[in-house]
Amino acid sequence: MSELRFNELRGEQVVYAIDRQDRTFLPAREHCPLDPTRPGGPPTEIPLPAFQIAVFDNRFPAFEAPGGAAEVVVYTDRHDGSFATLSAERAEALMWVWRHRYLELGARPDVDYVMIFENRGVEVGVTLHHPHGQIYGYPFLPPVPALELAADERLGGCAPCALLARELDAGERVLIERDSVVAYVPHAARWAYEAHVVMREHRASLLDCRPQELLELSQVLQALVRGYDALFDRPFPYVMVVHQAPTSAQARRGHVHVEFYPPLRTAEKLKFLAGSEQGAGTFISDTLPEQSAVALREAIARAA
Ligand SMILES: [Zn+2]
Ligand SMILES: [Zn+2]
Ligand SMILES: [Zn+2]
């Protein structure tokens, strides 16, 4: 079991999940635990000879019932590739899987916040290359979603709605504009190629989205990550996070959006969180979001 400790000086929870030290670290191709179990082959995490999308409890959980949840979402039974190279149908189906997991985990009394995410690339600590994401069900409201709720208060209404309106008005940082989904580099992005993908209508969670909106969300997410891969003509590492309304009884407001935090600032250079970022919480960037948006728009067009 993991242990929660409250860091008084920071006012935040820290999770100690010490079993995770033993988790599988970049296994050889033939020992991938996220592959299907082939007839006569070694058993993997998924006891089926083939599958489309598989969801199961993380064997090395940061959270587990009755103190939250940690799940693995395997996007495909094919080892090679990425979210970008999934078929359009599979990417759309993944949105429905996310929706379903939000519904099920969010209904649990021990889950206050459901966060769907993907870490891609060894640069962000990936230990398995097989295309997959994760879901954490936090038994508390974590600081970043809490900050977003505070932004609602500050802006006097839904913050993602207000910020989307500003971005559409300015236009220069918009990357992709569809009927129901918009992608942009935020005005005050922390990462050089940070991007946010936002539902145009106010939708608290994926449960409130219409089927057409989920379809467009999958299309815009794929167009963006393909653009990322085209940007420096190399697999582009990122952390992708889906923010939705908390599922605790107290605060069920929010606005679905997906945030990408890519660590690269050039084809070779990584952004490290150092003195100012760690000690002061203030990001210092050497690129402007407007310039990144121009480069990303071109890359998205190249990859389309
Ligand atoms: Zn695999
Ligand atoms: Zn909104
Ligand atoms: Zn967010």
Side-chain angles (χ1 to χ4, degrees), residues 7-281:
N7 181 318
E8 289 289 357
L9 200 55
R10 289 288 182 113
E12 67 189 19
Q13 301 284 358
V14 179
V15 181
Y16 298 86
I18 56 177
D19 289 343
R20 286 168 55 80
Q21 285 287 26
D22 302 323
R23 71 188 192 274
T24 322
F25 180 77
L26 295 174
R29 167 72 192 87
E30 62 273 23
H31 294 122
C32 174
L34 306 185
D35 275 5
T37 298
R38 318 230 182 250
T44 70
E45 296 277 336
I46 302 140
L48 300 166
F51 63 87
Q52 297 209 359
I53 297 173
V55 181
F56 52 88
D57 285 330
N58 196 320
R59 267 182 55 213
F60 304 97
F63 303 103
E64 59 192 314
E71 295 185 335
V72 177
V73 184
V74 185
Y75 299 165
T76 167
D77 58 7
R78 299 169 77 156
H79 182 80
D80 297 305
S82 65
F83 175 69
T85 62
L86 296 178
S87 71
E89 296 71 30
R90 184 65 56 82
E92 182 187 9
L94 183 61
M95 303 299 108
W96 287 91
V97 169
W98 286 356
R99 183 183 191 275
H100 180 252
R101 297 320 301 150
Y102 177 84
L103 176 66
E104 283 221 331
L105 294 175
R108 280 173 39 175
D110 61 331
V111 173
D112 283 356
Y113 193 79
V114 177
M115 196 177 87
I116 297 160
F117 65 100
E118 178 187 336
N119 300 329
R120 184 193 184 202
V122 290
E123 294 87 348
V124 295
V126 161
T127 53
L128 298 171
H129 284 309
H130 196 116
H132 73 287
Q134 301 183 65
I135 306 177
Y136 280 177
Y138 292 85
F140 54 86
L141 181 66
V144 173
L147 284 172
E148 294 195 345
L149 291 177
D152 289 353
E153 306 291 333
R154 202 166 55 242
L155 293 171
C158 173
C161 275
L163 297 171
L164 174 62
R166 286 187 197 175
E167 292 295 347
L168 288 172
D169 203 37
E172 58 184 340
R173 288 174 300 272
V174 173
L175 301 172
I176 304 169
E177 217 183 318
R178 298 285 301 270
D179 287 347
S180 49
V181 182
V182 179
Y184 61 82
V185 179
H187 166 72
R190 305 167 113 202
W191 303 89
Y193 293 99
E194 180 172 336
H196 292 192
V197 176
V198 185
M199 305 310 296
R200 205 187 274 268
E201 295 296 320
H202 181 78
R203 305 284 185 235
S205 76
L206 295 169
L207 296 176
D208 304 298
C209 294
R210 289 181 286 113
Q212 178 64 23
E213 292 177 314
L214 295 178
L215 171 63
E216 278 195 10
L217 178 60
S218 70
Q219 292 169 340
V220 171
L221 291 174
Q222 281 202 301
L224 175 62
V225 294
R226 286 171 184 159
Y228 274 149
D229 285 346
L231 183 65
F232 298 132
D233 200 25
R234 56 162 284 186
F236 194 86
Y238 58 72
V239 172
M240 175 185 79
V241 166
V242 184
H243 282 149
Q244 306 184 69
T247 56
S248 58
Q250 297 85 343
R252 283 186 176 266
R253 64 195 163 78
H255 182 141
V256 195
H257 59 279
V258 184
E259 301 190 9
F260 287 83
Y261 320 132
L264 287 181
R265 49 196 181 87
T266 70
E268 273 93 37
K269 293 199 185 101
L270 286 168
K271 166 74 179 170
F272 291 102
L273 299 190
S276 186
E277 290 82 5
Q278 295 201 50

